[in-house]
Amino acid sequence: MSGKSLTSFGFCPLPIFDHKRIVLGHGSGGKLTADLIDKIFLPAFHNPILDKLDDQAVLTIGGTRLAFTTDSFVVTPIFFPGGDIGRLAIHGTVNDLAMSGARPLYLSAAFILEEGLPVDDLRRVIESMRAAAAEAGVQLVTGDTKVVNRGKGDQIFITTTGIGVIEHNVSISADRACPGDKIILSGYIGDHGMTIMSQREGLEFESAIESDCAPLNGLVTAMLTTSPANDFIHTLRDPTRGGVSTTLNEIAKHANVGMVLDERAIPVRESVKGACEVLGLDPLYVANEGKLLALVVPGMADAVLDRMRQHPLGQDAAIIGEVVETHPGMVLMKTEIGGTRVLDVMFGEQLPRIC
Amino acid sequence: MSGKSLTSFGFCPLPIFDHKRIVLGHGSGGKLTADLIDKIFLPAFHNPILDKLDDQAVLTIGGTRLAFTTDSFVVTPIFFPGGDIGRLAIHGTVNDLAMSGARPLYLSAAFILEEGLPVDDLRRVIESMRAAAAEAGVQLVTGDTKVVNRGKGDQIFITTTGIGVIEHNVSISADRACPGDKIILSGYIGDHGMTIMSQREGLEFESAIESDCAPLNGLVTAMLTTSPANDFIHTLRDPTRGGVSTTLNEIAKHANVGMVLDERAIPVRESVKGACEVLGLDPLYVANEGKLLALVVPGMADAVLDRMRQHPLGQDAAIIGEVVETHPGMVLMKTEIGGTRVLDVMFGEQLPRIC
C-alpha cells in the first residue's frame, strides 16, 4: 500500500530506491530515511536510549534528566524570507529539545564552510544565530570550523547539538501516544517548505509566504504549566521534514495506535495551498520549522489549547484529530468532501534540502 | 614575525588571507582559524564558557560537571591505513572530552551524505564507528542524516558531539598552564597527518605509516589516578590540526606563559621524518589523532610519565620541555644542533581536510 497510495497524492515521479547508492530521498525524513536508520544505523548502535527514536535522547546524569539532540542543516538557499540557515540551525535544535519537555540550555555549533564562501555571508549567518540564540534563551558554548574545497560542499553546512534539562515531572515520547488523546496542531502548516520551494522555483504569489522558523520552547513551557497536574501531554513532535503526515505516521507506528484527522480543522494558508497546487505538493507533507503537534489526554485538551492560543506562536492552534484503538499504525483523514483517505509516511523526497 | 618565520620552515607558498572569502586555511586549526574565531564567532557568541576556548565546554548542570564538545569530520580519503572517517569521528570527540578530565559517556552523530555514496561505504564507516564506540566505552544515543546533491558534498561528512562527566576534582584548562610545569607528550608525532598525505600523494615509504587514531580516555584516567592528590595536571590537549607546535602556542598565548622544548626529546618516527622531508613539511605542525600533551606540576611529572608508559597508548611518552616565565606567549625549541628556534602557530593550511 505504502508506495502506491502516494502516487495518487501528487508524488510523481517516485524516487527509485537504489540499495547500492545513497539517493536524495534518504535525507527526506520519510520512508527511505527510516529504511536507512532501521537497516544500517540501528543494528550498529542499538541501545535503549537510541531505540526510542525520538528526536532527542533523554539521559540521566548525576540524578538530573537531560535532553540531548543533534541536527545538520544543509538548506538551500541559505537566506530565505523569514529566516536563514543560521536561525534554522539554532531553532531546529532548540525545538527538538523542547519536544521532550526540556528547557534548552546549551548549544554547540559545527560549521563546514566551502572555500570561496563570502565572509559577509558568514557574518550574516552568525549574526542571525546570535539573535536566534538570544530569542530562545540558549548559550552557544563550543564549536568547530572545517573548510572543504570549492565544489566539495555548498556554501555552508551547520550542525547544532543541544543540551536541555527536563525539570517538569513529565515523560514525553512518541511511544506514549494513547487512544483517546487529542491531537493538537499549533498553527498553519507548510509555510517553511513552501517558502524554500518558492525561492528555488522563482515563484511569486499574491501574498508572500514566509518561513515559520521560530523557537518553540516558550510555547511548550506555557503548555506544561497549563495545570499543576503532571503527565497530561503524552507526545510532542515538531513536524519538520516529511511534514504533519509523516510525523503522525511515525508516532502511530511507534506507539501502535491509529489516528483520525479532520481535514477541515487543519490550518493551511491560502497562499500555501496555492503554491502547493502549482507545484503538485500536499501541505500535509511539507516541512514546518515553528509548529508542533501535541498528543494530550482528552480531559486536558481544551485547557491546553486555550493556553496555546494565548501564546504568540500558538494563536492559531487547533485540535485536528484524535488517537484511536482501531487501525493501529495508520493515520486516516476525514476529507472536506466527506470521504476518508489514508495518510502515509512520505516515501522518497518531496523537498530535498529543506532544512 | 609570525607569518614570515614560517617560510623558513618549509611553508611555501603562504596562503593569501583574503578577508572577503573563506579559504582552506580558515579550517586548518592555525592562525587563520584563530582569526575567524576571534573576529567573527567570539564577538557574536561571547560568554564565559565559550571564551575559555578549550576544546570542550565545561558545564555545571544539577550540581554535576559535564564536558560538552563537537567536531565535524571532513577527512579525505575517508578510508586510510589505521582508520577511517568513522573511527576518527568517534575518537576525536572522545579525546576532546577526555582532555578536560571527563569520562566520555554519550555521543551524537550527524551525517551529511553525498548523493551517490555507495551504501557499502556507509556500512563500513558505520561498522567502524560501532567498534570505535565500543573500544572507547561510549554510547551513541541520537543522530541525524541529511543528503546533499551530487557535487555539493564529498562522500560523507560526520559531526560528532559528546557529553562526559568530570568526576575527579580537577580543573584542567589551557589557561592553567604555569611556569615550572613539565610538558609531557604521549608518543610519536605526525603519524596521522603523514598517513593522510601519503595516501593523497600516492607515496610509498619503506616502512608503512599508519594513523595513530585512538581513544585517549583510558590513558587520561590512568594519569589522573597516578596519585590520590588533586590538581597535578594543569592542562591536557590533543595536538590534532596544526600539530604539537600550534597546540603549544595556543596554550602559551592563552595562559601568557613561555615554553622551551628540547627537540631531541620529541619522538618522531624515521618514516614520518622521511615523508615530511619529501613533502617539505615539519612534523611539529602535522596532525595527530591519538596523542596528548600534558602540562604537569614538576613534582609529579616523573610519576605521571611512569604511569603513562605502562599504558599501551603512552609507552613512548616523554618529557619534551617545560613552561617558563620568560618570553610569555612564545614557544622556543632547543634544536639538535644546539641552536634555538621559535615555533610559531601554523599560519594558513599545511594539510587541508586532515580530520
Side-chain angles (χ1 to χ4, degrees):
Chain A
M1 180 207 75
S2 58
K4 270 184 205 164
S5 64
L6 288 167
T7 53
S8 55
F9 305 152
F11 289 79
C12 183
L14 278 177
I16 298 157
F17 188 176
D18 172 359
H19 286 283
K20 298 242 165 95
R21 292 195 178 267
I22 293 295
V23 296
L24 283 171
H26 284 118
S28 67
K31 201 181 288 279
L32 288 179
T33 307
D35 245 33
L36 202 62
I37 293 171
D38 288 348
K39 292 184 183 153
I40 298 189
F41 293 109
L42 280 188
F45 299 125
H46 165 74
N47 63 58
I49 302 168
L50 183 67
D51 295 353
K52 284 180 90 84
L53 287 184
D54 281 317
D55 283 344
Q56 70 297 116
V58 174
L59 316 170
T60 302
I61 304 180
T64 302
R65 281 200 303 159
L66 300 176
F68 180 46
T69 189
T70 195
D71 262 318
S72 287
F73 293 85
V74 300
V75 66
T76 179
I78 61 173
F79 301 107
F80 46 81
D84 57 73
I85 192 170
R87 182 172 167 84
L88 210 56
I90 297 289
H91 291 164
T93 289
V94 162
N95 292 349
D96 279 347
L97 292 174
M99 295 307 119
S100 67
R103 182 162 61 90
L105 294 175
Y106 300 110
L107 260 53
S108 67
F111 297 86
I112 300 175
L113 309 178
E114 186 190 8
E115 184 186 14
L117 175 73
V119 170
D120 282 347
D121 284 356
L122 178 61
R123 278 187 208 278
R124 199 174 145 196
V125 168
I126 296 298
E127 168 52 26
S128 170
M129 291 177 79
R130 187 204 58 72
E135 187 182 346
V138 294
Q139 282 190 304
L140 197 147
V141 291
T142 192
D144 182 48
T145 308
K146 295 289 184 335
V147 180
V148 294
N149 324 62
R150 207 181 283 262
K152 299 294 184 183
D154 194 7
Q155 298 181 275
I156 177 167
F157 301 147
I158 305 175
T159 303
T160 43
T161 307
I163 297 181
V165 60
I166 304 177
E167 293 162 319
H168 295 271
N169 186 15
V170 294
S171 171
I172 296 171
S173 174
D175 57 19
R176 298 217 49 226
C178 190
D181 285 351
K182 298 291 180 190
I183 303 170
I184 304 179
L185 173 63
S186 66
Y188 286 94
I189 62 168
D191 295 3
H192 176 73
M194 294 323 296
T195 301
I196 300 296
M197 284 306 281
S198 303
Q199 291 289 306
R200 283 198 214 149
E201 304 288 328
L203 298 179
E204 281 184 34
F205 299 96
E206 276 175 42
S207 29
I209 310 174
E210 280 207 348
S211 169
D212 57 346
C213 180
L216 294 168
N217 49 331
L219 178 61
V220 171
T221 301
M223 293 165 69
L224 287 173
T225 53
T226 301
S227 151
N230 287 312
D231 211 29
F232 51 89
I233 299 177
H234 287 156
T235 307
L236 286 172
R237 196 63 84 87
D238 56 336
T240 55
R241 285 185 292 179
V244 165
S245 189
T246 303
T247 301
L248 290 179
N249 264 281
E250 283 174 9
I251 299 170
K253 284 176 179 60
H254 215 74
N256 204 32
V257 294
M259 293 184 187
V260 179
L261 307 185
D262 176 0
E263 185 171 21
R264 289 165 308 177
I266 299 173
V268 190
R269 291 180 210 285
E270 285 306 315
S271 54
V272 168
K273 266 189 202 160
C276 279
E277 272 167 28
V278 168
L279 296 168
L281 301 171
D282 183 331
L284 284 162
Y285 291 89
V286 175
N288 311 277
E289 289 291 344
K291 296 297 163 357
L292 64 79
L293 288 158
L295 274 50
V296 179
V297 296
M300 282 295 294
D302 287 331
V304 171
L305 184 66
D306 284 348
R307 190 68 176 248
M308 290 174 75
R309 287 181 169 163
Q310 289 163 36
H311 191 281
L313 293 175
Q315 54 196 9
D316 302 305
I319 295 176
I320 63 162
E322 64 178 349
V323 179
V324 296
E325 262 183 284
T326 50
H327 55 82
M330 279 178 76
V331 180
L332 300 185
M333 187 168 77
K334 290 183 190 155
T335 64
E336 284 187 32
I337 53 166
T340 298
R341 90 184 219 209
V342 177
L343 289 187
D344 205 340
V345 65
M346 190 162 67
F347 179 73
E349 47 78 24
Q350 190 189 44
L351 307 170
R353 300 185 58 191
I354 208 73
C355 61
Chain B
M1 178 209 78
S2 56
K4 269 183 205 164
S5 66
L6 288 168
T7 54
S8 55
F9 305 154
F11 288 79
C12 182
L14 278 178
I16 298 158
F17 188 174
D18 172 358
H19 287 282
K20 299 243 166 93
R21 293 195 177 268
I22 294 295
V23 297
L24 283 171
H26 284 118
S28 67
K31 201 180 287 280
L32 288 180
T33 307
D35 246 33
L36 202 62
I37 292 171
D38 289 347
K39 292 185 184 152
I40 298 189
F41 293 111
L42 279 189
F45 299 124
H46 164 73
N47 64 57
I49 303 169
L50 183 67
D51 295 354
K52 284 179 91 85
L53 287 183
D54 281 318
D55 283 343
Q56 68 298 115
V58 174
L59 316 170
T60 302
I61 305 179
T64 302
R65 282 201 303 160
L66 300 176
F68 180 46
T69 189
T70 195
D71 262 320
S72 287
F73 294 86
V74 299
V75 65
T76 178
I78 62 173
F79 302 106
F80 46 81
D84 57 74
I85 192 170
R87 182 171 167 84
L88 211 55
I90 297 289
H91 291 163
T93 289
V94 161
N95 291 349
D96 279 346
L97 292 174
M99 294 307 119
S100 67
R103 180 163 62 89
L105 294 175
Y106 300 110
L107 261 54
S108 67
F111 298 85
I112 299 175
L113 309 178
E114 185 190 9
E115 183 186 17
L117 175 75
V119 170
D120 282 348
D121 284 357
L122 178 62
R123 278 186 207 278
R124 199 173 146 197
V125 168
I126 296 296
E127 168 52 27
S128 171
M129 291 177 79
R130 187 204 59 72
E135 187 181 346
V138 294
Q139 281 190 304
L140 197 148
V141 290
T142 192
D144 181 50
T145 309
K146 295 288 183 333
V147 180
V148 295
N149 323 63
R150 204 181 284 262
K152 299 293 184 183
D154 195 7
Q155 297 180 276
I156 178 167
F157 300 147
I158 306 175
T159 303
T160 43
T161 308
I163 297 180
V165 60
I166 304 176
E167 294 161 318
H168 295 271
N169 185 15
V170 294
S171 172
I172 297 170
S173 173
D175 58 17
R176 299 216 50 226
C178 190
D181 285 351
K182 298 290 181 189
I183 303 169
I184 305 179
L185 173 63
S186 67
Y188 287 95
I189 61 167
D191 295 4
H192 176 74
M194 293 324 294
T195 302
I196 299 296
M197 284 307 280
S198 304
Q199 290 291 306
R200 283 198 215 149
E201 305 287 328
L203 298 178
E204 281 185 34
F205 299 97
E206 276 175 41
S207 31
I209 310 174
E210 280 207 348
S211 170
D212 57 347
C213 181
L216 294 167
N217 49 332
L219 177 61
V220 171
T221 300
M223 293 165 70
L224 288 172
T225 53
T226 301
S227 151
N230 287 314
D231 210 30
F232 51 88
I233 300 177
H234 287 156
T235 308
L236 286 173
R237 197 62 83 88
D238 55 336
T240 55
R241 285 185 291 179
V244 166
S245 190
T246 302
T247 301
L248 289 180
N249 265 281
E250 282 174 8
I251 298 169
K253 285 176 180 59
H254 214 74
N256 202 31
V257 294
M259 293 185 187
V260 179
L261 307 186
D262 177 359
E263 184 170 21
R264 289 165 308 179
I266 300 173
V268 190
R269 292 180 207 285
E270 285 307 315
S271 53
V272 168
K273 267 188 201 159
C276 278
E277 271 167 29
V278 169
L279 296 168
L281 300 172
D282 182 331
L284 283 162
Y285 292 89
V286 175
N288 311 278
E289 290 290 344
K291 297 296 162 2
L292 63 81
L293 288 158
L295 273 50
V296 179
V297 296
M300 283 294 294
D302 287 332
V304 171
L305 184 66
D306 284 349
R307 189 67 177 251
M308 290 174 75
R309 286 179 169 163
Q310 289 163 35
H311 191 280
L313 293 175
Q315 56 196 6
D316 303 305
I319 295 175
I320 64 162
E322 64 179 351
V323 180
V324 296
E325 262 183 285
T326 50
H327 56 81
M330 280 179 74
V331 180
L332 300 185
M333 187 168 76
K334 291 181 188 155
T335 64
E336 283 188 31
I337 55 167
T340 299
R341 92 184 217 210
V342 176
L343 289 187
D344 205 339
V345 65
M346 188 162 66
F347 179 73
E349 48 77 26
Q350 190 189 44
L351 307 169
R353 300 186 57 190
I354 208 74
C355 61

